[in-house]
Amino acid sequence: MNRSTIRTLVRRRLNETVADNWDDSVLNTFIDLAYALVLKQVRKVDPEAVLFWDYRNTVAATIWYEKPAGTRGPVEVGFKALGTDTDWTPLPRRPYFLARDYTDAADTVYCHRGTYIGIFPAPAASVVDGIQFIHAPTDTLPTDADIPKLEATLHYAIVLWATLIAKGESPEADTKDALELLRILMDIPADYGSPDHGQPVGLSLDVADARGRGATTLRPGIY
């Protein structure tokens, strides 16, 4: 369902089919907040359930680049060292206190620093779309035609959560809405527990790194 349909259902649950206490713009804000809250529950099960691709131009000798607005964290940071490169090379992440000492362009890394990432060593050339962010965003529904990027049954979870937010501004009881929401959220693992139902990832143990039972300990921490 799109934002318009979600808002209509929210109004029905609020018994306010015609705007009185809440105009459309206020409910739209509640819907975006509810969408973000439902998406947060999904990411507890599958951090990569919703991903965006965003880009930044690199500037020669410039280290710091702003992350995409609203990102919950990158899954991958890709880098083009030259404008002639046809693809982005995934960069390994290093903590800042180590990354700042990297000087070999053949061993480029990135680090986090607040709302920025640092590229070390600094790019040697200015490249359009030189950085590719694959990241988990805080998605929104800017227009009435927009549809949440979630499994269809979770669209109704947005309705319920937006209703709860609205009822938080009134003395009306919200127990029924809260219980319905909980029932829907509890089923998230059924839809997002495995990203590939045809080829699930099997459990693979590295016996060489098995610690504890059956291991011979020379002294604590050394096996």
Side-chain angles (χ1 to χ4, degrees):
M1 61 183 75
N2 59 26
R3 188 182 73 176
S4 177
T5 303
I6 291 172
R7 190 175 61 244
T8 296
L9 292 175
V10 171
R11 287 201 176 282
R12 288 176 63 88
R13 294 199 72 93
L14 292 171
N15 294 314
E16 186 179 285
T17 54
V18 178
D20 182 14
N21 295 306
W22 301 278
D23 62 27
D24 283 356
S25 64
V26 172
L27 288 187
N28 290 342
T29 299
F30 292 167
I31 289 167
D32 269 343
L33 178 55
Y35 180 21
L37 290 168
V38 174
L39 189 52
K40 181 183 289 188
Q41 299 303 310
V42 170
R43 288 202 177 104
K44 291 180 180 180
V45 178
D46 182 1
E48 297 186 20
V50 177
L51 296 177
F52 280 10
W53 275 248
D54 279 295
Y55 301 86
R56 294 285 184 270
N57 299 336
T58 54
V59 179
T62 298
I63 292 172
W64 300 106
Y65 298 91
E66 193 169 9
K67 298 174 185 177
T71 184
R72 308 306 302 165
V75 172
E76 180 180 293
V77 174
F79 177 65
K80 284 184 177 181
L82 302 171
T84 54
D85 290 347
T86 58
D87 201 1
W88 292 266
T89 300
L91 296 181
R93 175 190 172 188
R94 298 289 182 268
Y96 170 69
F97 74 92
L98 294 178
R100 64 187 179 184
D101 293 330
Y102 277 68
T103 57
D104 185 355
D107 193 19
T108 302
V109 300
Y110 83 96
C111 70
H112 291 285
R113 208 66 169 171
T115 58
Y116 291 81
I117 64 159
I119 303 292
F120 291 90
S126 298
V127 178
V128 175
D129 293 343
I131 299 174
Q132 179 190 69
F133 288 95
I134 304 176
H135 67 104
T138 298
D139 196 25
T140 60
L141 304 173
T143 74
D144 278 355
D146 288 325
I147 299 172
K149 297 177 179 65
L150 292 171
E151 197 278 327
T153 58
L154 289 175
H155 294 185
Y156 199 64
I158 298 173
V159 172
L160 293 166
W161 216 323
T163 302
L164 286 170
I165 295 169
K167 286 185 176 180
E169 298 185 342
S170 75
E172 186 176 350
D174 58 13
T175 304
K176 181 180 178 181
D177 304 294
L179 289 175
E180 285 190 52
L181 174 62
L182 181 60
R183 281 195 290 267
I184 294 174
L185 295 181
M186 287 177 63
D187 285 337
I188 287 176
D191 292 303
Y192 290 96
S194 173
D196 190 337
H197 294 292
Q199 300 183 56
V201 177
L203 180 63
S204 178
L205 298 177
D206 185 351
V207 177
D209 193 40
R211 307 289 177 91
R213 182 178 296 178
T216 301
T217 305
L218 301 179
R219 65 176 185 269
I222 299 178
Y223 295 81

